[in-house]
Amino acid sequence: RWIKFEEKVEDGGERWSTPHVPALPLHSLFQLRICLQKGTMLLDLDATSFKEIINKALSGQSEEAELQPELRERLAALLLLQPQHQPTKSLLQLLAELGLSPCQGRKHGCHTRHPPASSLGQYPHLLVHGFCFFLSFFVGKAKGRSEPRTQLSKTPLKEQLRNRFKKKVPPGAEAAHVAVGEVEFLEKPFAAFIRLRRGVSLGSLAEVSLPSRFLFILLGPPRVKAYHEVGRAMATLLTDELFQRVARQAEHQEDLIRGIEAFLDEVIVLPPGKWDPSTRIPPPSRLPSPRRRTAVDPLNQQPHGNGDMTAAGDRASPGHPCSGEELERTGRLFGGLLRDIRRKAPWYGSDFSDALHPQCLSAVLYIYLATVTNAITFGGMLGDATANMQGVLESFLGTAFAGFIFCLFSGQPLTILSSTGPVLVFERLLFSFSQDHNLDYLEFRLWIGLWVAFFGVVLVATEASHLVRYFTRFTEEGFCALISLIFIYDSLKKMLSLADAFPINWQYRLDNITSYSCTCNLRRLFNPMLTCLSTLHIPPLPSIQHPPATLAGLSRTQCLDRGGHLLGTSCQYVPDVTLISFLLFGGTFLSCIALRHFRSSRYFPVGVRKLVSDFAVILAILAFCTIDAVLGLETPKLLVPSELKPTNPARGWIIFPFGANPWWVCLVSAVPAVLVTILIFMDQQITAVILNRREYKLQKGAGFHLDLLCVSLLMVVTSVTGLPWYVSATVISLAHMESLRKESATSAPGEHPEFLGIREQRLTGLAVFILMGVSVFMAPVLKHIPMPVLYGVFLHMGVVALNSIQLMDRVRLLLMPAKHQPDLAYLRHVPLRRVHFFTVIQLLCLALLWVLKSTMAAIIFPVMV
C-alpha cells in the first residue's frame, strides 16, 4: 500500500513493513507506458459501483484487443471477488491473538495471512498536497478454477469502518486501486486505466472506507513476469504530486503519456553494482516542493556544486522578516501605525479563539515560571543598584501591568516584555549620578521616561521603524546569540554562587570523621552574669552556678538568637544542598531537552508523544520539584513578595514631577533620554525582527509601529509609578513561540510532521501576566519550587534560542572535516572558505559585544549591534 511511501506486508503476513521510498526497475516504467498506450482508458467515467466499472472497462476494449464473451465473464467474476486486506492491529490485539492461538510461529498446519493463490492480493495508499489518495494494491495469481470465495460487498465492511489506519489519512482523501496478476485462461494481457468523474465508494474494495477516483488493472498470461513491477510503477506514479495533476486533468491518452515522460525526465538511475536493490531507502526528512521541481531544469541542475549556481528554493533567505508593505513608508504622519491597526484588527477576535487548545496551557505555565524567575532576578539586581527604590515587588507589579497591556493592544502579542541588561546598567548609572549631585532619583527618572515616551511617539509618527528592513542576518544573529549566551551564563553563575552560600568542604577526609562537629557556644552570654553576681556578693542561682560552655539542644537559629556562636570544624559546610541543587539543575535541563524531543520518538502513540512534548518543561519542573520535596533538603526556594507595599518605605506609589529637584532637571533630562530612546528602539525592533522571521510562517502579520507605540506609552505609566522600564525579552519571547509550534495532525507513514506555523493568539500572554499579578497571593505555593529547577529552565531557554540561529550550524562546520559536513543549502552555493570567514567575523564581533556588555559601556551595546 502507499499513502506517500511504499509499505509491504512482511513474510508471515502479520505486519506492515516500515515505510520506504519505492525503488523501481526502469524497465517497468517503459512497460507501463506501453500498457497505457495499448490498453483501455476511460476518463471521467460515470459509475456508482465496482461491478459497473468492470463491465464498462471490459466492453470498452478496442476491436483487436477485445476478449471473447466467455473470457470477459470469467475475468469479471475474478475481479469481483473480495480482496484480502492486511489489517493494522493494535498491540493488545496482537497479544490477544498470541494468547488464544493454538499454534505459533510458522509450523506446518498453521494458517498464515498470505492471500490464497486464487486471489488478487492487496491495495496501496497515498497522500498528496491537499488532494489525497489512499492507494490500494492488489497482486495475485489465478489458476484455472478459483476456490469458492466471497463476492465483493457493495457496502463497507465492519473491519473497514473500524480500521485504526484511517487516522493516518487526512480529511478529503480519495482512494486509487491497482490490481495486477497472472491469469492462466488469458492469452494476451488485459490493461485498463479508469478515472471516475467523481469519487465513489466502492464497498469493501479498499482497506479503509474512502471514495475512490482511479483504478488500474493489468492481468495477463503467466509467461509475462513483469506485472508486479508494472503495478508498483503505476502506484508510485499516482503518489507523485505532479503526475497526480496530470492524471486529474488529462483529457486524452496522450496527456497521460506525456505525464510519464515528464516523470522519466526526473528519474535518477542508481547503478546496479553500487547498491543493494533489496535495501529499503528510508523517507527523507524534507521533500522538494512541486513548485521547485517544475522551476528547475533537471538537465542543468547541479545539486552538489559549490559555485554560482542559482536555485530559487535555496537562494531565498528565510531569516529576514516580512519585507513587504509592513515596512514600507506611507509618507503620512502615523501612516505606518494606521496600517498596522488595519492589518491586525480583523484578527483580534481570532487572537482569543485560537488559544482554545491544550498546548496553550503548557505555554502559559512554562512562560509564567520563566517570567517569575526573570522578574525576581532583575528585581534583586535593581534593588542592589538603586538602594531598593525599585525591588522585587516593583519588578513583579511592573511586569504584570506592562505585559498585560502590551499583550492586549500590541501588534505582535507573542512578545514577552521584561527588564533587560542595558536598562539595568542605565538605572545603576542614573542612581549613582543622582546620589553624587544630590538629585531625587525617581523624579529625575520620571522626566527621562516622559522624554523617552515623547521621542518614541515621534519615531512612530515618522515611520522610523522602516529602518528595520536594513537589519541583516548578521545583526539578528549577533543580537540573539548575545542574549542567549547571557541567559546561559547567568544560569550557570547563579548555580556556582550556591557554593558560596552553601560551601563544600573540599578538605573533607573520611578518616577524620571523628573530628568533625559543630556546637553552640553560650560562654559569652553567661560570663558577664557571673561577674555581676560575684561583685554584689549574692549567691549564684543553682541553675547557673556552673553554666555550660555549650548547649546541644539548640538549633543554629536559636543559638544565634540567644547571643551564642557556633564552634566546630563543620559549622560552615552544608554539603548536601549544593550537590542536590546541581543535580536538580542538570536534571531539569536534560529532562526538558529529552521530553521536548519525545515528539519524534518511536515509542507510544502519536497523541501521547505530542502531549508529552507540549508539556515537556512543566513535566520536568513537576518531576524535580517532587524529588526535592521527597529528599526534604533545604535547597534555595522561589520567594516572592507577600505584601503590596514599596520595597523602600521612603517612596510612594506615585512619583510627582516637581518639588524635589530644580526646575531645569526636566529640560536636562532630554539628553539621557535620547540615549535611552536609541536603546529602547534598537532592543525592541531587533527582537521584533527575530520574532517575525519568515520561517515561523506567521499568518497575522507584524506590527512594528504599533509595538513601539505601546512600549513608549508604557514608559509614561512605569515612570510615574516608579516601576521598571520594559522592552521585548528576546529569549523568553522565542521560548514562547517555540512552545506554540503547530504541526500537521495527520501524516502518512514515514512522513515527518509538517511545521504549520505558530499558534498566534493573545490569551497565553495575558494569562501569564495575570498570574504574575496574583503571584503575591500565591507565595505559599510558589515557595516550594526550588530555584535550581528554574535555573535549569533558564539554561534550556538559552540553549534552545542559541540553537535556533544559523550561526551555531556554521560554528559546528568549523570543527567538522569536509566529508562529514551536512548537505546544507548555502554550502552548495558559497565556497566553504567564505562561510568560515563570515563565521569568524561574527564570532569576533560577538566577543567584542560580550566584553562591551561586561563594562559600564553596556548601555550602548544595542547601538553597537
Side-chain angles (χ1 to χ4, degrees):
R1 67 184 178 190
W2 279 254
I3 286 188
K4 196 145 192 161
F5 301 99
E6 184 180 21
E7 295 177 81
K8 297 178 180 178
V9 179
E10 303 283 21
D11 292 341
E14 290 294 338
R15 63 183 292 269
W16 288 99
S17 70
T18 56
H20 54 275
V21 178
L24 301 173
L26 186 61
H27 186 69
S28 65
L29 291 168
F30 298 142
Q31 290 289 337
L32 175 62
R33 181 173 56 184
I34 294 173
C35 291
L36 293 178
Q37 288 173 338
K38 297 183 177 181
T40 302
M41 183 169 297
L42 301 176
L43 301 177
D44 292 334
L45 179 66
D46 281 319
T48 57
S49 67
F50 188 56
K51 183 176 181 179
E52 184 180 356
I53 293 172
I54 296 301
N55 290 336
K56 289 185 178 182
L58 292 174
S59 61
Q61 290 181 288
S62 60
E63 293 183 2
E64 59 272 12
E66 187 175 3
L67 297 175
Q68 299 178 2
E70 181 185 355
L71 293 180
R72 286 206 302 267
E73 291 179 4
R74 294 179 65 181
L75 194 57
L78 180 64
L79 289 170
L80 291 175
L81 292 176
Q82 173 63 48
Q84 289 188 347
H85 297 294
Q86 170 62 36
T88 303
K89 299 180 181 180
S90 66
L91 178 61
L92 294 178
Q93 289 175 320
L94 292 174
L95 293 175
E97 289 184 3
L98 184 64
L100 296 175
S101 177
C103 54
Q104 302 174 1
R106 299 184 63 182
K107 300 179 182 179
H108 295 291
C110 287
H111 175 68
T112 66
R113 301 292 298 184
H114 285 300
S118 60
S119 71
L120 290 173
Q122 327 172 40
Y123 281 60
H125 318 217
L126 73 114
L127 168 70
V128 181
H129 196 62
F131 186 86
C132 169
F133 290 101
F134 183 78
L135 180 62
S136 51
F137 185 85
F138 292 88
V139 59
K141 183 176 182 179
K143 298 181 179 180
R145 287 178 174 267
S146 61
E147 300 175 6
R149 289 196 41 211
T150 308
Q151 292 290 320
L152 187 73
S153 173
K154 295 183 180 181
T155 57
L157 302 176
K158 292 182 179 179
E159 291 77 8
Q160 291 176 273
L161 300 176
R162 297 174 182 174
N163 197 324
R164 298 170 58 251
F165 189 73
K166 193 172 183 179
K167 296 179 180 179
K168 290 291 183 180
V169 182
E174 291 183 330
H177 308 273
V178 177
V180 297
E182 301 173 3
V183 183
E184 286 190 347
F185 57 79
L186 288 180
E187 296 180 356
K188 54 186 176 181
F190 168 75
F193 179 85
I194 302 145
R195 182 185 71 197
L196 302 179
R197 185 178 298 275
R198 63 186 62 86
V200 176
S201 177
L202 298 181
S204 58
L205 185 62
E207 183 179 345
V208 297
S209 178
L210 288 174
S212 301
R213 179 60 65 97
F214 291 94
L215 295 97
F216 177 74
I217 302 171
L218 176 60
L219 302 174
R223 63 176 178 269
V224 180
K225 301 296 185 182
Y227 300 136
H228 180 262
E229 294 301 330
V230 172
R232 291 182 63 243
M234 186 74 250
T236 304
L237 277 171
L238 287 174
T239 58
D240 183 75
E241 296 184 34
L242 296 184
F243 185 81
Q244 275 185 46
R245 296 178 186 175
V246 174
R248 292 198 304 268
Q249 299 171 4
E251 298 180 358
H252 306 285
Q253 191 178 44
E254 293 76 14
D255 296 334
L256 279 178
I257 302 302
R258 281 195 292 269
I260 295 180
E261 297 290 348
F263 183 85
L264 285 169
D265 288 341
E266 293 190 75
V267 166
I268 297 175
V269 178
L270 294 176
K274 302 301 181 182
W275 79 298
D276 183 5
S278 63
T279 301
R280 292 172 179 170
I281 305 174
S285 58
R286 293 185 61 185
L287 294 174
S289 65
R291 181 183 304 175
R292 181 180 168 191
R293 285 175 56 190
T294 55
V296 178
D297 184 1
L299 298 178
N300 297 328
Q301 187 178 10
Q302 300 173 2
H304 298 288
N306 202 26
D308 298 329
M309 189 198 85
T310 59
D314 289 341
R315 280 287 191 186
S317 172
H320 202 275
C322 31
S323 56
E325 55 96 16
E326 296 179 355
L327 295 177
E328 290 180 357
R329 298 196 64 177
T330 63
R332 304 187 305 271
L333 284 178
F334 296 102
L337 175 64
L338 295 176
R339 181 181 288 173
D340 283 352
I341 295 174
R342 285 195 296 267
R343 183 188 311 113
K344 300 298 293 187
W347 299 102
Y348 200 78
S350 66
D351 283 345
F352 295 90
S353 60
D354 290 347
L356 303 179
H357 191 278
Q359 186 182 26
C360 294
L361 175 62
S362 167
V364 167
L365 298 177
Y366 172 29
I367 302 302
Y368 164 67
L369 291 175
T371 308
V372 165
T373 307
N374 192 62
I376 290 176
T377 303
F378 276 99
M381 291 188 290
L382 273 173
D384 295 339
T386 62
N388 285 329
M389 287 297 180
Q390 298 177 76
V392 175
L393 179 64
E394 287 80 6
S395 179
F396 263 75
L397 296 180
T399 303
F401 173 77
F404 182 85
I405 297 299
F406 186 86
C407 287
L408 198 59
F409 299 108
S410 66
Q412 182 49 272
L414 297 175
T415 304
I416 301 296
L417 295 189
S418 172
S419 295
T420 60
V423 173
L424 176 64
V425 173
F426 179 82
E427 298 278 13
R428 181 182 291 112
L429 294 175
L430 181 63
F431 183 79
S432 299
F433 181 85
S434 301
Q435 294 292 103
D436 294 341
H437 296 82
N438 296 320
L439 297 176
D440 185 89
Y441 159 69
L442 290 179
E443 184 180 313
F444 192 13
R445 180 179 179 274
L446 167 62
W447 280 108
I448 294 177
L450 295 177
W451 278 110
V452 171
F454 171 74
F455 292 147
V457 172
V458 171
L459 292 176
V460 173
T462 56
E463 300 178 297
S465 295
H466 83 282
L467 297 173
V468 167
R469 65 171 62 244
Y470 300 111
F471 291 171
T472 63
R473 177 184 290 275
F474 190 96
T475 303
E476 299 169 27
E477 290 185 346
F479 184 82
C480 185
L482 181 63
I483 301 300
S484 302
L485 289 173
I486 290 174
F487 262 68
I488 296 172
Y489 173 78
D490 285 344
S491 62
L492 294 174
K493 181 180 177 181
K494 288 287 185 181
M495 288 304 302
L496 292 175
S497 67
L498 291 179
D500 298 330
F502 307 97
I504 300 174
N505 187 359
W506 298 105
Q507 284 74 39
Y508 179 84
R509 297 294 180 270
L510 185 61
D511 191 51
N512 299 335
I513 191 172
T514 56
S515 64
Y516 299 131
S517 64
C518 182
T519 57
C520 178
N521 185 5
L522 298 177
R523 184 179 299 276
R524 293 181 180 178
L525 177 64
F526 283 100
N527 282 346
M529 295 178 62
L530 292 175
T531 303
C532 179
L533 291 174
S534 60
T535 303
L536 297 175
H537 301 284
I538 299 176
L541 296 175
S543 59
I544 57 173
Q545 281 184 352
H546 303 285
T550 61
L551 196 60
L554 297 180
S555 67
R556 174 181 178 276
T557 303
Q558 292 172 336
C559 177
L560 297 177
D561 289 344
R562 297 191 181 191
H565 65 281
L566 302 175
L567 288 178
T569 55
S570 61
C571 291
Q572 67 270 37
Y573 301 121
V574 193
D576 294 336
V577 172
T578 301
L579 175 62
I580 194 60
S581 295
F582 273 93
L583 291 177
L584 294 174
F585 171 73
T588 303
F589 168 70
L590 295 177
S591 296
C592 289
I593 296 293
L595 293 177
R596 178 70 69 181
H597 292 159
F598 193 70
R599 184 187 298 268
S600 57
S601 170
R602 297 177 181 269
Y603 303 102
F604 298 102
V606 62
V608 176
R609 297 200 305 267
K610 290 180 65 176
L611 188 65
V612 171
S613 179
D614 290 341
F615 286 83
V617 177
I618 303 304
L619 291 175
I621 291 174
L622 290 177
F624 285 91
C625 286
T626 302
I627 293 174
D628 177 76
V630 170
L631 295 177
L633 294 176
E634 295 183 2
T635 52
K637 298 296 193 296
L638 176 63
L639 299 178
V640 299
S642 57
E643 295 180 336
L644 288 174
K645 62 180 183 180
T647 306
N648 191 325
R651 57 155 290 184
W653 285 119
I654 300 296
I655 310 302
F656 295 98
F658 298 103
N661 291 333
W663 64 270
W664 47 263
V665 171
C666 64
L667 302 177
V668 175
S669 302
V671 177
V674 173
L675 184 59
V676 178
T677 302
I678 298 175
L679 186 153
I680 296 293
F681 179 82
M682 296 296 294
D683 211 343
Q684 172 67 32
Q685 300 296 49
I686 292 177
T687 302
V689 167
I690 294 172
L691 296 183
N692 288 282
R693 287 174 176 169
R694 281 181 181 158
E695 59 253 41
Y696 289 124
K697 298 183 179 180
L698 300 180
Q699 301 298 320
K700 300 182 180 181
F704 294 95
H705 309 280
L706 183 56
D707 290 348
L708 183 60
L709 178 67
C710 290
V711 171
S712 301
L713 296 181
L714 286 172
M715 290 288 292
V716 176
V717 181
T718 53
S719 299
V720 170
T721 55
L723 300 177
W725 293 330
Y726 295 96
V727 292
S728 298
T730 308
V731 173
I732 299 181
S733 299
L734 283 173
H736 189 201
M737 296 188 71
E738 287 292 329
S739 66
L740 293 170
R741 291 171 63 92
K742 293 189 298 183
E743 293 182 343
S744 54
T746 57
S747 56
E751 184 185 25
H752 296 268
E754 180 185 0
F755 172 62
L756 302 178
I758 304 296
R759 204 173 299 280
E760 300 175 65
Q761 37 71 45
R762 298 178 184 270
L763 206 53
T764 54
L766 293 174
V768 165
F769 294 112
I770 289 174
L771 289 176
M772 280 289 298
V774 301
S775 292
V776 175
F777 308 103
M778 296 193 299
V781 177
L782 297 177
K783 70 179 182 181
H784 297 290
I785 301 178
M787 289 303 295
V789 170
L790 298 181
Y791 294 147
V793 174
F794 256 45
L795 179 63
H796 169 256
M797 292 168 56
V799 170
V800 169
L802 194 62
N803 286 329
S804 68
I805 57 178
Q806 190 192 87
L807 172 63
M808 291 307 299
D809 294 334
R810 289 186 275 106
V811 169
R812 296 186 189 101
L813 290 178
L814 291 172
L815 308 177
M816 287 186 191
K819 64 180 180 179
H820 296 302
Q821 291 174 354
D823 186 22
L824 299 173
Y826 50 84
L827 291 182
R828 298 184 179 187
H829 314 303
V830 183
L832 186 60
R833 63 182 181 276
R834 297 196 65 181
V835 173
H836 289 339
F837 183 66
F838 182 79
T839 305
V840 170
I841 292 178
Q842 266 192 306
L843 292 177
L844 291 176
C845 292
L846 183 60
L848 178 62
L849 287 174
W850 183 270
V851 173
L852 185 67
K853 80 96 190 172
S854 302
T855 65
M856 297 303 291
I859 189 173
I860 65 170
F861 106 87
V863 182
M864 297 297 294
V865 172

